[in-house]
Amino acid sequence: MATNPMHQFEVYRIGPEIKLGTIDISFTNASLFMVISSLAILLIFNLGSKKNSLLPSKVQLLTELSYIFVSKMISDTAGSKAKPYFAFIFSLFMFVLFCNMFGMIPYAFTVTSHIIVTFILASFIFVGVTIIGFMKHGLGYLKLFVPSGVPAILLPLIIVIEIISYLSRPVSLSVRLFANMMAGHTMMKVFGGFVISLGIVGGWLPLSFSVALTGLEILVAFLQAYVFAILTCIYLNDALNLHH
Amino acid sequence: MELEAAKMIGAGLAAISLAGAGVGIGIIFGNYLSGAMRNPSAAQKQFPNLLLGFALAEATGLFGLVVALIILFAF
């Protein structure tokens, strides 16, 4: 039995060891769950969009609801100019959501509870948004670091602060998702351990707490995917509509 | 002082930052409720902003938890 609450985050190899030079690229349980979430997304959205009837089936309803949800989120936060990036944000939201939700199944592995996964996602967003900004506005994109209506004396300080806050975006975006997932799963494991150690007499209290925590964690899993996607939209909005 | 003991104390101190997250979440929900009571028709439109604020405030506290875990496990 795993008594250490951090044991659930262990990455181990499945199948043979594959080496590319000195880099280990073996198939692990993390890659297995990424493949499972991607396949589940593909399956659901293929089933939902294959036969478009006026009276939708449940899967089609799910597909259409999530489409409308994401497209409304993008048009609310980033405006109509962000329409071409719909496919990227939609797949990003769905991938993070499915990874979080698959992690809620007992004994499953949560891909997003590893900082390297979320950091790679966030740094791709950061680099992509920066490239889009420079492509749309040229060097004028640097005006992002100079807020309007600031006294000239304060400007050197403000510019440094703005640059630091811009550069810390990928870190805060990735740490937010990773910390939420990891803290939640550790907490559930700790309360599960209380149930075992208190036994049949006193174990009922932590057990009921555990049930409530599972509900909270499902909410957090959805909310963090939503926040991840909406912050991407906000960053995209900065790059597309430069209003300073 | 023993290094191990100092690590434990440091990790415990880093976890205090979760108090700030608690205050922040309380302020967000409290202000949302008082605003929603004043103008219930506008409440539904601001619900996504409420969730966004909740998630952002909660995450700030969890940064402190990450610091605690780094102290415990990474050093």
Side-chain angles (χ1 to χ4, degrees):
Chain A
M1 198 188 77
T3 46
N4 186 353
M6 306 310 267
H7 184 263
Q8 55 177 327
F9 302 119
E10 199 185 329
V11 178
Y12 51 85
R13 202 173 60 233
I14 299 172
E17 190 174 6
I18 309 163
K19 284 227 167 186
L20 192 77
T22 53
I23 307 163
D24 192 358
I25 52 161
S26 317
F27 197 77
T28 59
N29 55 347
S31 9
L32 177 70
F33 272 92
M34 276 191 226
V35 170
I36 289 176
S37 348
S38 313
L39 284 181
I41 297 168
L42 270 180
L43 186 73
I44 289 175
F45 284 93
N46 264 331
L47 277 179
S49 56
K50 200 162 62 181
K51 191 159 60 71
N52 289 327
S53 57
L54 204 57
L55 204 68
S57 63
K58 275 175 189 159
V59 185
Q60 192 189 336
L61 201 65
L62 196 74
T63 315
E64 284 173 0
L65 270 180
S66 49
Y67 184 97
I68 291 168
F69 179 72
V70 176
S71 92
K72 199 169 163 298
M73 178 174 83
I74 293 172
S75 61
D76 281 355
T77 49
S80 56
K81 274 192 204 164
K83 214 72 192 155
Y85 308 102
F86 172 80
F88 172 66
I89 291 172
F90 187 73
S91 37
L92 184 76
F93 173 68
M94 280 299 149
F95 182 69
V96 175
L97 179 67
F98 272 67
C99 285
N100 288 354
M101 284 299 183
F102 270 108
M104 289 308 298
I105 299 170
Y107 293 101
F109 180 82
T110 323
V111 181
T112 42
S113 67
H114 279 260
I115 187 140
I116 188 66
V117 177
T118 57
F119 187 71
I120 292 292
L121 284 176
S123 43
F124 266 101
I125 291 163
F126 175 73
V127 171
V129 164
T130 310
I131 289 173
I132 288 169
F134 276 113
M135 265 166 57
K136 295 266 172 190
H137 306 284
L139 281 177
Y141 185 55
L142 293 174
K143 272 194 294 221
L144 184 74
F145 302 122
V146 190
S148 57
V150 176
I153 302 170
L154 280 177
L155 261 185
L157 192 67
I158 295 287
I159 289 174
V160 171
I161 291 173
E162 287 280 327
I163 288 175
I164 291 173
S165 92
Y166 188 79
L167 290 180
S168 68
R169 272 175 180 184
V171 178
S172 72
L173 191 61
S174 58
V175 168
R176 181 175 299 120
L177 179 59
F178 143 76
N180 265 290
M181 297 322 289
M182 196 201 57
H185 283 261
T186 312
M187 193 157 65
M188 288 205 302
K189 201 75 166 194
V190 166
F191 273 91
F194 286 166
V195 177
I196 300 292
S197 59
L198 286 178
I200 194 117
V201 186
W204 297 100
L205 195 68
L207 183 67
S208 54
F209 209 86
S210 239
V211 173
L213 266 184
T214 310
L216 180 75
E217 278 310 305
I218 287 175
L219 175 75
V220 165
F222 171 76
L223 221 55
Q224 288 304 320
Y226 177 69
V227 167
F228 200 85
I230 210 163
L231 282 175
T232 310
C233 289
I234 290 172
Y235 297 160
L236 206 57
N237 181 38
D238 279 350
L240 291 173
N241 315 309
L242 198 63
H243 39 217
H244 274 304
Chain B
M1 199 192 292
E2 291 282 325
L3 180 66
E4 198 60 30
K7 262 162 102 178
M8 295 282 177
I9 293 170
L13 288 177
I16 294 176
S17 62
L18 288 166
V23 172
I25 293 169
I27 288 175
I28 286 165
F29 277 97
N31 283 348
Y32 174 76
L33 267 185
S34 69
M37 287 293 160
R38 278 167 205 267
N39 187 1
S41 58
Q44 201 56 46
K45 241 180 138 183
Q46 297 305 317
F47 194 67
N49 285 341
L50 170 75
L51 292 184
L52 187 65
F54 162 72
L56 292 180
E58 198 200 12
T60 317
L62 289 175
F63 290 159
L65 190 71
V66 171
V67 172
L69 289 175
I70 287 173
I71 291 171
L72 276 183
F73 295 110
F75 285 115

